[in-house]
Amino acid sequence: MKQVTLAAAADQGAEFERFRRPTRRDVFLQTMGAIVPWAELCAVIEPHYPKAGKGRPPIGLERMLRMYFVQHWFNLADEACEEALLDSTALRRFVGIDLGRERVPDGTTLLKFRRLLEDDKHKLGAALFAKVGEVLQGKGLKVGIGTIVDATIISAPSSTKNDKGERDPEMHQTKKGQQYFFGMKLHIGVDSQTGLAHSAVVTAANVHDKHAIPQLLHGAEQEVYGDSAYASQQELIASKAPLAQDRTNQRVGPAGIAADIERIANRIKSKVRSRVEHVFAVV
């Protein structure tokens, strides 16, 4: 067992700070450290991760994965994530860095790790998503007979200050309400009972929500929920889930008895459909 350095002792508290109390960040990181299946996720990445050999030995895989999660949870750029770890004892404790023995991985190292996970060649993003679903189902959170579908826009910089002087070709501009957005769109399928996200598709922002329906359903649904963007898509739903009943919110016409009844039905459906918003709250 390695002797604890003074830097690590200070980061771990070691009863020096008598009046300090856990912050919400401390509680969040402690919870994530306990519930994220680190070993299973690392096993997915490990075959593609650099191995020790000539040159500088690679940084531990789980440490880089934890740093990558910190970057996304707190919306940090590569160098900003490095500086946050230098500044925050809570983040260093979560990632497992002892400044008395080692440096914080720099922004370039994090960039290379992020590109490894996002590389289309290995498709590690999809593999990690599938592994999380597998672990959750192994814990008893099984996918049921109902799916809620929804989509959200992920904005990105529209800058053309790059070598080609162009916007990212995989992204696009779209209008929502009276506001324009540039970026991509995340489509998800969520179990209507547990709120477990079991499918996800990423497209350009200008792709209509309905086009991702077949990829978001697992096929055994008996009910499909969604907002009015998915209204009147019975044929598209039936193409993947032939037994599913269309529970999507319908567009309401002018005032009248029929419109009032439709509004009441939409409110009842929305009590179930609202579970999908919990996932987007995290995103």
Side-chain angles (χ1 to χ4, degrees), residues 47-66:
H48 310 284
Y49 194 66
K51 305 297 187 293
K54 295 182 179 179
R56 187 175 65 177
I59 296 170
L61 174 54
E62 182 174 330
R63 177 169 297 174
M64 289 306 305
L65 185 60
R66 285 174 177 261

Side-chain angles (χ1 to χ4, degrees), residues 223-235:
E223 296 176 326
V224 175
Y225 295 87
D227 59 27
S228 58
Y230 301 94
S232 304
Q233 299 300 322
Q234 291 89 346
E235 292 185 7

